[in-house]
Amino acid sequence: MSTNEELIGRADVDDLEAILAVTNTDRDEVISAVRQNSEAIFTWDYEKGARPALDKLYEKAKVSMWNGETDLPWETEVDQESIVIANAEQNGAQGLGLADFDVTGTPFEHWTEDQWMRLGIESQNWTLSQFMHGEQGALICTAKIVETVPWIDAKYYASTQVMDEARHVEVFAKYLDTKLSGHYPVNAHLKMLLDDIVSDSRWDMTYLGMQVMVEGLALAAFGFMHQMSTEPLLKQLLRYVMSDEARHVAFGVLSLQEYYQGLTDAEIFERQQFAFEAAVRMRDRFLQQEVWERMDVPVKEAIELVMRTPTRQMFQMMLFSKIVPNCKKLGLLDRNDAWLRRRFEEIGVIQFEDWVDTGEEYESFALTDADQRTA
């Protein structure tokens, strides 16, 4: 498979009708089962430190654990309406409308302030819900890495990440349950990607799909939300989660860099295709079609309008600010006649290729004494 239609089911990556045609058929189910065919691998080589970069991550992780129940200021009062207003004022929106958005002649032209307020609240609920679902995906995938990766240093580190991911699911769920006003089901594009990652039998594909792609995007998205939000508890929660996520992405980069050097062009091509498919699926999941449906707005028209706003365009691009340099570090951009480079050019994100990769920068995300005093 090499064409867009073969990889993502449509020739045009921006075909909005095709994107919206993907739906979550079991959105009301509590349990979702995904069959996986991977092997659980034991290693009898217990030499710790054979891979110094992974050993360093493991030692860092052991002293970087935080307690989601006691280290965050859960006593903070959260008023969603006040947050919507404060965020709009801080980030340049006119009143409660969307930033830089001309509503003339659109379905939004006669909206009341109550409708704009409801949109802001629903958007908060949706965004945090998808983060929570993604963190559960990371929890499951990292537990799988413990089972399937053949190196003891990687097993040691991955075991610490399982605990990190459990903590992330816990704090996002608690924030949604006690501070916001409702959950959304997992987005269809996110669920499709998580299913693909979990079901692939190759251990390195779990790394590539989750550690590099999903977690790389999450790290960028958390940073964007941390910057845009005015709510102190959420900002602190995101700061703590980001300190973990940077190590997780570095874990993927440092592990795969060694392994990918020994793969053939044909094997690398499979990884390039998987990375592109994952990138498109993650981009598609941020369109918030479930919010527009709940607001009873024409979904396609609303998305086309909102996607023209400078804030949304910047957000969509910045999601890839970690993914592209990390793929370059892994040697995925330019193998096979620069196949992945051309695909990233197609979706308009190649400009991030020379940004620092997470394997180099993860320590800059570590919690400081000031961060912990703020909590």
Side-chain angles (χ1 to χ4, degrees), residues 180-375:
L180 301 190
S181 53
H183 293 194
Y184 274 79
V186 62
N187 172 265
H189 297 281
L190 175 59
K191 180 63 165 57
M192 184 184 300
L193 177 57
L194 294 178
D195 287 355
D196 286 346
I197 296 170
V198 170
S199 62
D200 198 295
S201 62
R202 295 162 291 185
W203 64 264
D204 75 285
M205 288 297 208
T206 312
Y207 268 104
L208 178 60
M210 181 52 65
Q211 310 296 113
V212 176
M213 303 301 294
V214 175
E215 300 250 67
L217 181 141
L219 182 58
F222 293 157
F224 190 90
M225 177 171 272
H226 182 270
Q227 179 181 351
M228 303 291 281
S229 178
T230 59
E231 200 284 284
L233 171 57
L234 180 59
K235 288 179 76 73
Q236 189 68 26
L237 185 158
L238 291 170
R239 179 67 186 90
Y240 271 59
V241 170
M242 288 164 61
S243 71
D244 295 337
E245 294 289 3
R247 290 196 312 276
H248 303 169
V249 181
F251 177 45
V253 173
L254 295 172
S255 297
L256 294 183
Q257 186 180 13
E258 171 189 349
Y259 183 66
Y260 282 2
Q261 289 174 355
L263 296 187
T264 66
D265 283 346
E267 290 169 326
I268 286 294
F269 188 44
E270 291 181 337
R271 276 73 182 169
Q272 290 173 313
Q273 291 174 314
F274 191 78
F276 174 65
E277 181 181 356
V280 174
R281 299 288 181 211
M282 289 188 296
R283 187 192 68 159
D284 293 347
R285 85 174 178 89
F286 277 98
L287 298 179
Q288 295 193 356
Q289 57 261 44
E290 298 89 350
V291 172
W292 302 117
E293 290 168 359
R294 188 169 292 187
M295 295 292 298
D296 197 27
V297 175
V299 176
K300 184 173 182 288
E301 185 175 357
I303 292 174
E304 287 175 336
L305 291 167
V306 171
M307 288 301 294
R308 296 180 194 147
T309 67
T311 300
R312 171 57 64 169
Q313 290 175 350
M314 180 176 66
F315 174 68
Q316 289 289 111
M317 285 192 302
M318 290 300 294
L319 291 175
F320 292 88
S321 61
K322 306 298 181 186
I323 288 174
V324 178
N326 288 334
C327 284
K328 184 174 184 177
K329 182 72 170 282
L330 296 177
L332 293 177
L333 283 188
D334 292 314
R335 291 277 293 269
N336 297 305
D337 297 322
W339 187 89
L340 187 57
R341 172 183 294 278
R342 286 184 278 111
R343 291 302 182 275
F344 281 163
E345 288 172 350
E346 182 180 0
I347 61 176
V349 297
I350 195 62
Q351 65 269 27
F352 298 113
E353 67 169 305
D354 292 324
W355 286 37
V356 63
D357 67 86
T358 313
E360 297 291 334
E361 71 167 349
Y362 73 90
E363 289 190 275
S364 67
F365 285 88
L367 294 174
T368 64
D369 290 342
D371 292 320
Q372 292 163 334
R373 282 196 302 271
T374 301

Side-chain angles (χ1 to χ4, degrees), residues 78-233:
V78 177
D79 181 329
Q80 278 196 275
E81 292 191 0
S82 297
I83 294 169
V84 170
I85 294 171
N87 288 352
E89 290 176 347
Q90 172 178 284
N91 300 310
Q94 300 298 316
L96 295 178
L98 300 172
D100 305 316
F101 185 74
D102 182 4
V103 299
T104 305
T106 74
F108 305 102
E109 184 172 10
H110 301 296
W111 265 25
T112 65
E113 285 199 355
D114 285 344
Q115 287 173 297
W116 285 115
M117 177 63 73
R118 185 185 166 206
L119 174 60
I121 290 173
E122 293 293 340
S123 182
Q124 289 176 0
N125 294 344
W126 183 91
T127 301
L128 272 294
S129 294
Q130 301 314 314
F131 286 161
M132 176 181 64
H133 298 315
E135 294 297 333
Q136 185 185 179
L139 172 64
I140 291 172
C141 287
T142 310
K144 180 181 176 183
I145 287 174
V146 174
E147 290 186 305
T148 59
V149 69
W151 312 322
I152 196 66
D153 284 321
K155 289 182 184 291
Y156 285 157
Y157 178 77
S159 69
T160 69
Q161 187 178 334
V162 172
M163 183 60 205
D164 288 347
E165 303 298 359
R167 189 167 59 243
H168 297 176
V169 176
E170 172 197 357
V171 297
F172 279 120
K174 182 171 182 175
Y175 191 85
L176 278 159
D177 287 339
T178 66
K179 302 300 180 181
L180 301 190
S181 53
H183 293 194
Y184 274 79
V186 62
N187 172 265
H189 297 281
L190 175 59
K191 180 63 165 57
M192 184 184 300
L193 177 57
L194 294 178
D195 287 355
D196 286 346
I197 296 170
V198 170
S199 62
D200 198 295
S201 62
R202 295 162 291 185
W203 64 264
D204 75 285
M205 288 297 208
T206 312
Y207 268 104
L208 178 60
M210 181 52 65
Q211 310 296 113
V212 176
M213 303 301 294
V214 175
E215 300 250 67
L217 181 141
L219 182 58
F222 293 157
F224 190 90
M225 177 171 272
H226 182 270
Q227 179 181 351
M228 303 291 281
S229 178
T230 59
E231 200 284 284
L233 171 57

